[in-house]
Amino acid sequence: KLHFPKKFRYKMIMKTTRDNARTPMQWTKDGGFTEGTPWLKMNANKETINVEDEIAYEGSIYHHYHKLIQIRKTSDALINGLFKPLYMKNDLFIFERATENESMITISNMSKKSIKLPYEIDGEIVLSNVERDDMKSIEKLLPYESILVKRVGV
């Protein structure tokens, strides 16, 4: 014991505990965490951010990750490929995972501004968090845009 007064100990605990940074998982618009009263407060955004809505919306982060996991399971480059950073400046990150037969290039804009691509990247768009037809039409990445590009026969 450090012999701090009880009131001071309580204030220290409330400032340093992780419980103040967490809320129960929001499964449904009602919360869905429990039928009882959770000991941690539910987040006020539970009606707009919850698992039930994520699963129902095809364009959600849930479905994006599901697709990404499926691609990861079937791509030799993502499983066994060597990692090579291609470009990392001004919140734009481009890196490659490649084997002899396949290359997967990840292009990510990590800023709230559009960023011009430093050079042309060819290949097939496998996954994107923004609707894109092909790499040839891309001059700039939108804020927080990320694209996975596949090149075969590298």
Side-chain angles (χ1 to χ4, degrees):
K1 274 189 173 180
L2 296 175
H3 302 289
F4 289 119
K6 190 174 187 176
K7 189 175 181 180
F8 183 70
R9 283 192 315 244
Y10 180 76
K11 282 185 178 183
M12 280 179 53
I13 289 168
M14 292 312 291
K15 282 187 177 182
T16 59
T17 182
R18 290 184 345 172
D19 284 351
N20 295 318
R22 306 189 268 191
T23 61
M25 183 67 177
Q26 297 168 187
W27 293 102
T28 65
K29 290 181 188 319
D30 301 333
F33 180 73
T34 179
E35 291 181 13
T37 304
W39 67 284
L40 293 172
K41 254 187 354 179
M42 293 298 297
N43 196 313
N45 66 7
K46 69 180 183 255
E47 291 182 21
T48 55
I49 299 175
N50 58 71
V51 175
E52 184 177 56
D53 285 351
E54 286 286 300
I55 291 171
Y57 174 52
E58 187 61 36
S60 70
I61 292 171
Y62 170 87
H63 286 286
H64 186 81
Y65 270 94
H66 186 67
K67 290 172 192 168
L68 190 58
I69 290 165
Q70 293 308 310
I71 293 166
R72 166 74 167 81
K73 286 180 177 180
T74 59
S75 167
D76 189 40
L78 293 177
I79 295 169
N80 300 309
L82 297 175
F83 175 82
K84 180 180 177 185
L86 301 176
Y87 185 90
M88 293 199 275
K89 289 183 187 170
N90 303 326
D91 296 323
L92 179 62
F93 300 94
I94 304 173
F95 60 89
E96 176 181 45
R97 296 280 308 264
T99 61
E100 288 180 9
N101 302 319
E102 178 184 78
S103 167
M104 293 293 237
I105 298 172
T106 301
I107 311 162
S108 297
N109 176 0
M110 304 300 281
S111 77
K112 59 184 174 182
K113 295 179 182 177
S114 291
I115 296 180
K116 187 175 183 340
L117 283 176
Y119 52 85
E120 190 175 309
I121 298 170
D122 64 330
E124 171 196 351
I125 296 175
V126 177
L127 186 64
S128 175
N129 63 343
V130 175
E131 297 276 332
R132 295 286 193 177
D133 291 332
D134 61 56
M135 286 304 297
K136 299 208 184 306
S137 65
I138 301 174
E139 291 180 21
K140 287 184 173 184
L141 255 64
L142 299 173
Y144 306 108
E145 181 176 1
S146 187
I147 301 172
L148 181 62
V149 178
K150 180 177 182 177
R151 297 188 320 171
V152 180
V154 182

